[in-house]
Amino acid sequence: MTYAYDAELAPWVPMLPVLDLRDPAAAREVGRAIAAQLPPPDLTGLTVLDRTVPGPAGAPAVPVRIYTPQPLAASAPAVLHLHGGGFVLGDLALEHADAAAFATGIGAVVIAVDYRLAPEAPFPAALEDSYAVLCWLAGNTDELGVDPTRLGLYGRSAGGGIAAGLTLLTRDRGGPRLAMQYLDVPVLDDRLDSVSMRAYVDTPIWNRPSAELGWSHYLGDSVRPGDPGVSPYAAPARAEDLAGLPPAFVSGCQFDPVRDEGMRYAQRLAQAGVPTEAHLYPATFHGSALVTEAAVSRRMRRDAVAAFRRML
């Protein structure tokens, strides 16, 4: 199928790698190759620390990477950063540059989470890892030098779905209070029934076949994508009650199978009384923000920083 991509994005499409999630190990190798080819992060004015924090009960500790601006302003915010990767791949290296840019641009301490991956660790492993790190963050704001009332959440792609699930879980458990959530091209709905999901079967980075495999790996053997028993914490589009969630910014790309579920979720958040902004970028595909040479990609990253500075 032919798509009217942005003129600066189009030349990159044939060079983008194919993520075949049928073989998670091979897909992870591709993900690591992508990370190795990305421009190096600008760490000027940042300290970067790798450490582990306590994981969920009975589970391993969770690796995190902490980006701290120097000097750190008084009452600085903090952002929990959840990487993408279709629930199957991704690590602290994949979005290293973006996490660093957020820390610098927002003036925030950014905590990137290396959550467990499916299929070896299906739902709720990644979600519970993320919740454990959020609770650790909320309990260590003095040590980190951040304002406990200014805790934000960012997730891209599958990380956006985990982030949305995390806001629901945190609300329902009475966990740490989040000041905002940024859901960047989020993967939210295992039912795969939207117009965009049915239409975009061959788009780069993410398409319907990859979505089918990603959800199958994430949900594990106990339930299949589309079954009635799927938890709304896994697939937040299934949540019936979105009231009481933190203010949201939701981004979407035009030629992206998850476009409609993201925009629909933003609409439902607004209908539930949640202050919500949504931005759909024309002529883009899933992951366009990673193409640093395109003006629209740079605008997407600037918009993300601006949203945090405005909302957090």
Side-chain angles (χ1 to χ4, degrees):
M1 188 172 176
T2 301
Y3 303 98
Y5 295 127
D6 178 272
E8 292 182 317
L9 290 175
W12 291 88
V13 172
M15 295 183 280
L16 294 171
V18 176
L19 293 178
D20 187 350
L21 299 187
R22 291 176 295 181
D23 184 342
R28 289 169 193 154
E29 287 298 321
V30 173
R32 283 189 281 270
I34 294 172
Q37 295 170 11
L38 293 173
D42 182 358
L43 302 180
T44 304
L46 294 175
T47 60
V48 181
L49 174 67
D50 287 348
R51 61 164 294 174
T52 59
V53 303
V62 184
V64 299
R65 180 169 291 167
I66 304 171
Y67 304 78
T68 304
Q70 299 295 336
L72 183 66
S75 301
V79 176
L80 199 71
H81 187 288
L82 304 179
H83 66 77
F87 306 113
V88 172
L89 60 115
D91 53 25
L92 296 176
L94 182 62
E95 297 181 19
H96 184 33
D98 276 1
F102 279 155
T104 301
I106 305 166
V109 175
V110 172
I111 298 95
V113 183
D114 198 4
Y115 56 79
R116 285 173 288 170
L117 299 173
E120 295 87 348
F123 172 82
L127 179 66
E128 292 290 358
D129 284 355
S130 302
Y131 184 74
V133 177
L134 175 61
C135 291
W136 172 84
L137 164 60
N140 289 273
T141 53
D142 286 346
E143 175 190 341
L144 294 166
V146 299
D147 185 340
T149 69
R150 301 179 70 196
L151 305 183
L153 181 58
Y154 171 86
R156 172 181 285 151
S157 189
I162 297 168
L166 182 57
T167 66
L168 292 165
L169 186 71
T170 302
R171 178 197 65 184
D172 295 346
R173 287 183 177 174
R177 184 173 180 82
L178 286 161
M180 69 163 294
Q181 57 178 316
Y182 192 114
L183 309 180
D184 191 358
V185 292
V187 177
L188 298 166
D189 198 342
D190 68 294
R191 293 166 293 191
L192 310 178
D193 60 358
S194 71
V195 171
S196 61
M197 184 60 71
R198 292 195 300 269
Y200 300 140
V201 299
D202 59 354
T203 43
I205 306 295
W206 197 246
N207 49 50
R208 184 184 178 92
S210 54
E212 292 172 348
L213 289 164
W215 276 111
S216 293
H217 289 316
Y218 186 50
L219 295 177
D221 297 330
S222 60
V223 63
R224 295 179 300 175
D227 282 355
V230 173
S231 168
Y233 299 128
R238 289 178 175 262
E240 295 183 1
D241 179 13
L242 301 183
L245 296 178
F249 190 105
V250 184
S251 73
C253 293
Q254 182 178 359
F255 302 117
D256 185 345
V258 300
R259 177 196 68 202
D260 294 349
E261 61 202 66
M263 294 298 103
R264 185 184 303 160
Y265 194 73
Q267 182 181 43
R268 291 187 57 221
L269 285 167
Q271 291 169 343
V274 176
T276 302
E277 296 183 42
H279 197 136
L280 180 63
Y281 293 90
T284 56
F285 52 82
H286 194 91
S288 290
L290 296 175
V291 181
T292 56
E293 290 78 3
V296 65
S297 305
R298 294 193 294 271
R299 186 169 74 249
M300 293 167 79
R301 295 193 300 276
R302 287 196 304 269
D303 288 351
V305 168
F308 275 107
R309 296 185 70 175
R310 185 171 63 252
M311 299 172 68
L312 186 57

